[in-house]
Amino acid sequence: MASRADNIASNMNLGNFAKATELRQRIWFTIGALIVFRFLSYVPLPGVNPAALQNLADLGRGGVLELFNTFSGGSLERMSLIALGVMPYITASIVVQMASALHPTLAALKKEGATGRQKLNQYTRYGTVFLCAIQGYFLAAGLESFSAQNGISAVVEPGYMFRVGAVISLVGGTMFLLWLGEQITSRGIGNGVSLIIMAGIVAQFPTFATNLFEGGRTGSISPGIIIGFMIMVVILILLISYVERAQRRLLVKYPKRATQNGMMQQDNSYLPLKLNTAGVIPPIFASSLLLLPLTISQFAGNSVDTESTFGGVIVTLNQYLAHGQPIYMTLYGLGIIFFTFFYTAVVFNPEERAEDLKKGGGFIPGIRPGKRTADYLEYVLTRITVVGAIYLTLVCVIPEYMIAQTGIPLFLGGTSLLIVVNVTVDTLSQIQSHLLAHQYGDLIKKAKLKGRMR
């Protein structure tokens, strides 16, 4: 039976935006911040020749750089101030999260509440600065080596001064994006960092759509492929929207407590276990590892000796790990399954959850508190993770196969679809929560007015 909150939520309409002044201000602030992000993606690094960057960008097609370029909204191929995007922060946060689950000192910080989380966030920022400095230096050095090997003068004055300036600019650009994301989270709507990643992906949609329909007009892409691709995208969006909200809710009961009327009442609650606990991390990890040999050969360029053992291994790996190859598709699917189980085990600790339930006096009906509860949680989580891993594999492998067979760009890969749909659903949920709170506020005001009239 639908609750009162569900009934109110079902009656929401766009006319409620006219009354929700605070929500409108939050939405406008979010849009303004994302516009600033898009403007920054066109500001080039100091000492870089923007006219020569397109030729250099073509050399990095198909590697890890293309994946990161998709997440940064094309900032990487334009070598802008925010070329690294927020990926160093994502990497640092994953490392800190995994370390907090394995290292006793960080695990103790995690249990300290708000103070511990603040310290972990500070460690994440330090890690972000460190990763930005390392990646920025190698990016500047790689830009110079590309220019030297291919005769493309993308750097006006190569040298250490250019590398130092590039590192400082890239670190400042990434940290500004983090600050902008925090402002969106606190003063706007939705998660700021996630919205920045989504905005970068969506910003390439007009170019993708133009190229797709232009290919249909010129005959390079058949109309049947275009229609089939659009149907596939719609089906995948519906599947992602349904599965990402799917939960396995475990009933949790608490001891009977005395109410104000002297009656004994037993509280019931639910422990929600998401079907896809790992999120979009498994496909990012799997694709990054598989594309690493291609990226190494692209950076090495002509310096790779194909007659040597190392060069022969790199060339062979590039041949078998190309997009659409059977070995690549198989390893990609197996990598997603492995990282799904691995990351789920990192972010969800059954023993810790069982201990929290025991301290709070809660228990799962039919299961003894303590180790039995931890074993049961691990059993249920393993079963639903199998379904989640299969779902992630299908969502990511099917678009990769279609892209390899049709030659459509990587823009609408499974990872991009997962990010866009997840962030959109979460943002709409927050908008709905704000509208629901506003309607409850109106109901309380009306009730107070009626009480005064009486």
Side-chain angles (χ1 to χ4, degrees), residues 137 144 157-167:
Y137 179 81
E144 291 180 354
E157 294 183 3
Y160 283 103
M161 291 302 296
F162 166 73
R163 298 183 184 183
V164 171
V167 169

Side-chain angles (χ1 to χ4, degrees), residues 8 20 106 131 154 208 268 273 282 340 345 389 424:
I8 294 177
L106 296 179
L131 289 177
F208 163 78
N268 294 333
L273 300 178
T340 300
T424 303

Side-chain angles (χ1 to χ4, degrees), residues 6 30 37-38 54 71 120 178 188 257 262 319 345 363 378:
D6 295 331
T30 303
F37 158 68
R38 291 305 301 159
Q54 184 59 43
F71 294 155
L120 291 177
L178 291 185
R257 299 174 184 176
Q319 292 176 352
F363 64 94
E378 185 176 359

Side-chain angles (χ1 to χ4, degrees), residues 420-439:
V420 171
V421 176
N422 275 332
V423 176
T424 303
V425 170
D426 292 340
T427 305
L428 290 177
S429 298
Q430 289 197 24
I431 292 176
Q432 188 182 48
S433 299
H434 278 278
L435 289 176
L436 185 61
H438 184 269
Q439 287 196 5

Side-chain angles (χ1 to χ4, degrees), residues 59 63 146 149 291-304 310-311 313-315 317-319:
L59 298 175
F146 273 143
Q149 294 170 8
L291 295 175
L292 189 60
L294 179 60
T295 306
I296 293 175
S297 63
Q298 289 171 348
F299 267 99
N302 298 328
S303 61
V304 175
F310 176 75
V313 170
I314 292 296
V315 172
L317 287 177
N318 288 340
Q319 292 176 352

Side-chain angles (χ1 to χ4, degrees), residues 347-359:
V347 299
F348 188 92
N349 190 347
E351 295 180 357
E352 184 178 339
R353 293 296 179 92
E355 187 65 23
D356 292 340
L357 287 177
K358 186 177 180 180
K359 290 180 180 178

Side-chain angles (χ1 to χ4, degrees), residues 357-392:
L357 287 177
K358 186 177 180 180
K359 290 180 180 178
F363 64 94
I364 299 176
I367 308 296
R368 288 184 179 181
K371 188 178 183 305
R372 292 291 183 88
T373 301
D375 294 340
Y376 179 73
L377 290 177
E378 185 176 359
Y379 169 73
V380 174
L381 187 64
T382 302
R383 295 180 65 186
I384 64 176
T385 304
V386 171
V387 181
I390 295 174
Y391 147 76
L392 276 180

